[in-house]
Amino acid sequence: MRIENLTKTYESAAGPVLDDVSLTIGEGHIHGIIGRSGAGKSTLVRCLNKLVTPTSGRVIVSDREITSLDGAALRAARRDIGMIFQHFNLLSSRTVAGNVALPLEVAGVSKADIRRRIPPLLELVGLASKADAYPSELSGGQKQRVGIARALALDPKVLLSDEATSALDPETTEQILHLLKDINRRLGLTILLITHEMEVVRAIASHVAVLEHGRLIENGPTFDVFAFPKSPVARSFLSSIVAHDLPPEIAGRLLPEAHADTDPVLRIVFTGDAAHDPVIATLVEQFRIRPNILHGRIDYIDGKPLGVLTLIAGGLGERLPDVLSYLSSLRLFGEVIGHAVRPAAAGARRAHS
Ligand SMILES: Nc1ncnc2c1ncn2[C@@H]1O[C@H](COP(=O)(O)OP(=O)(O)OP(=O)(O)O)[C@@H](O)[C@H]1O
Ligand SMILES: [Mg+2]
């Protein structure tokens, strides 16, 4: 799926809600799009199946330019695009099987064919025994499974998910994400995952883009964006998962410049195999640093370790360039993010002021 220079301006709004967004979603990928409330995520997904008509730009799904289609041609093209929603959007008057049948009925599939196609769809989402239940008899997770089966009924090439797990508890979220990943693997289905939760992206997305004020400010493999976020927005989204930023109570004590009574604060990003090297021991033994660890965390993104460690590098002095080149020889990333007043000096400074 290709999104090219997509722009959307509402007459009532001051600026564009989507501003020249271009993005290619690889076939069979799970591509996350994150952004704050109002960033334009839902507008973007609605442009993809032309529920919203973009002001300019193009959307291409399986070699068809959706944005140029209307009427019957648009309805036919939409069959390639399934969609699931935060609040499931099920018909309460219809059973589970009846809800899943709906897109097939609209597409004019015969009754006999519909009867044949429903059971495997319910099987796929783990609801084989609930065909005759009504939505009011289902849990949130089960309702979303119905939503997924309905979205898959017409064999789409792409599944759009707009906050599909936002109304679910963490455990149910995990089950639904697991189901989406399973479907992605089994059917080779491309999934676009709109969310405001990095945890959702971390769990299943191979790629992630960041939308801010209608602009795409970051895009790449999930691991790369998580390890080296370029934008403050991505960093703040990541704060629950990766320790890129120090907790404010520690950050507030750092000084921007070095003084006679300060030590540099070193932030080290560990990626891939280097997470297994005895880096701290080497800093102590070879570079004579007295590390005082301030903050750290190791997590697994896409099965690969990603760690961020922040330490006061006592005794670092002029060896900083050597330390940084040692770190980069291990393909680690190091930078000085501030300067900490030594404890004895901190007491003296307080007494002074
Ligand atoms: N039909 C409309 N007419 C005018 N403005 C709109 C319309 N739909 C959305 N907007 C505006 O576009 C902006 C983006 O809205 P959108 O729903 O795409 O954001 P979002 O990223 O999905 O937010 P959330 O995380 O809260 O769902 C908002 O400022 C919203 O007020
Ligand atoms: Mg939205």
Side-chain angles (χ1 to χ4, degrees):
M1 176 162 64
R2 282 204 324 275
I3 300 166
E4 295 176 355
N5 310 102
L6 206 64
T7 295
K8 177 68 190 176
T9 309
Y10 289 108
E11 276 175 26
S12 52
V17 169
L18 292 175
D19 190 357
D20 198 23
V21 172
S22 294
L23 180 66
T24 299
I25 314 290
E27 221 177 292
H29 286 182
I30 300 184
H31 206 122
I33 294 189
I34 63 150
R36 296 193 179 115
S37 184
K41 305 181 297 294
S42 294
T43 306
L44 178 62
V45 276
R46 288 194 197 113
C47 284
L48 300 185
N49 50 14
K50 216 179 168 186
L51 287 177
V52 164
T53 305
T55 308
S56 62
R58 310 199 307 161
V59 173
I60 294 146
V61 178
S62 343
D63 294 330
R64 260 197 297 217
E65 193 194 327
I66 302 285
T67 28
S68 70
L69 302 177
D70 278 306
L74 176 61
R75 282 196 295 279
R78 277 188 185 145
R79 290 181 199 169
D80 280 343
I81 308 171
M83 191 159 175
I84 53 176
F85 309 87
Q86 179 173 2
H87 298 295
F88 326 121
N89 298 10
L90 303 181
L91 289 182
S92 57
S93 60
R94 281 185 170 228
T95 62
V96 166
N99 270 283
V100 177
L102 195 63
L104 295 162
E105 289 169 17
V106 172
V109 177
S110 74
K111 280 213 163 66
D113 271 349
I114 292 176
R115 263 198 302 278
R116 203 169 40 75
R117 281 164 74 169
I118 299 293
L121 282 164
L122 294 182
E123 188 80 40
L124 182 70
V125 300
L127 283 184
S129 64
K130 296 283 183 193
D132 299 322
Y134 284 87
S136 60
E137 300 167 311
L138 303 178
S139 69
Q142 289 170 330
K143 284 182 200 164
Q144 195 54 288
R145 285 169 193 271
V146 179
I148 293 170
R150 181 184 55 189
L152 297 179
L154 291 169
D155 270 331
K157 305 280 191 306
V158 180
L159 179 66
L160 307 178
S161 163
D162 191 359
E163 304 278 7
T165 57
S166 297
L168 305 174
D169 63 63
E171 203 180 315
T172 312
T173 292
E174 202 180 302
Q175 290 164 2
I176 293 294
L177 293 177
H178 185 83
L179 173 64
L180 289 177
K181 180 91 196 174
D182 188 52
I183 289 168
N184 160 260
R185 255 196 301 251
R186 280 210 254 171
L187 309 180
L189 183 69
T190 307
I191 300 180
L192 190 65
L193 203 62
I194 305 290
T195 180
H196 62 272
E197 293 171 298
M198 270 295 189
E199 196 50 58
V200 167
V201 170
R202 183 182 85 99
I204 62 167
S206 56
H207 293 72
V208 63
V210 181
L211 198 64
E212 171 78 345
H213 300 311
R215 273 192 292 271
L216 203 72
I217 56 170
E218 212 151 332
N219 182 38
T222 303
F223 188 87
D224 296 357
V225 172
F226 276 43
F228 303 108
K230 295 192 281 284
S231 59
V233 185
R235 284 172 83 107
S236 79
F237 267 110
L238 282 164
S239 61
S240 62
I241 299 177
V242 186
H244 281 301
D245 294 321
L246 284 171
E249 54 274 21
I250 300 177
R253 295 208 305 266
L254 302 188
L255 303 177
E257 308 282 345
H259 294 274
D261 58 357
T262 61
D263 285 317
V265 174
L266 193 61
R267 191 174 73 98
I268 305 173
V269 181
F270 301 70
T271 59
D273 297 335
H276 305 295
D277 273 300
V279 175
I280 299 299
T282 306
L283 290 179
V284 173
E285 288 164 15
Q286 191 176 327
F287 295 99
R288 306 268 164 234
I289 287 171
R290 299 182 304 279
N292 176 5
I293 292 171
L294 286 179
H295 195 55
R297 173 166 180 154
I298 294 187
D299 228 304
Y300 282 80
I301 317 293
D302 220 1
K304 287 178 279 187
L306 168 62
V308 180
L309 184 67
T310 305
L311 49 86
I312 302 175
L316 176 63
E318 265 121 53
R319 287 187 294 276
L320 176 64
D322 298 337
V323 166
L324 294 185
S325 63
Y326 157 70
L327 292 173
S328 69
S329 75
L330 291 177
R331 289 191 288 143
L332 302 185
F333 174 79
E335 68 176 334
V336 171
I337 60 164
H339 301 268
V341 178
R342 286 183 205 113
R349 280 186 172 220
R350 269 197 303 276
H352 213 72
S353 60

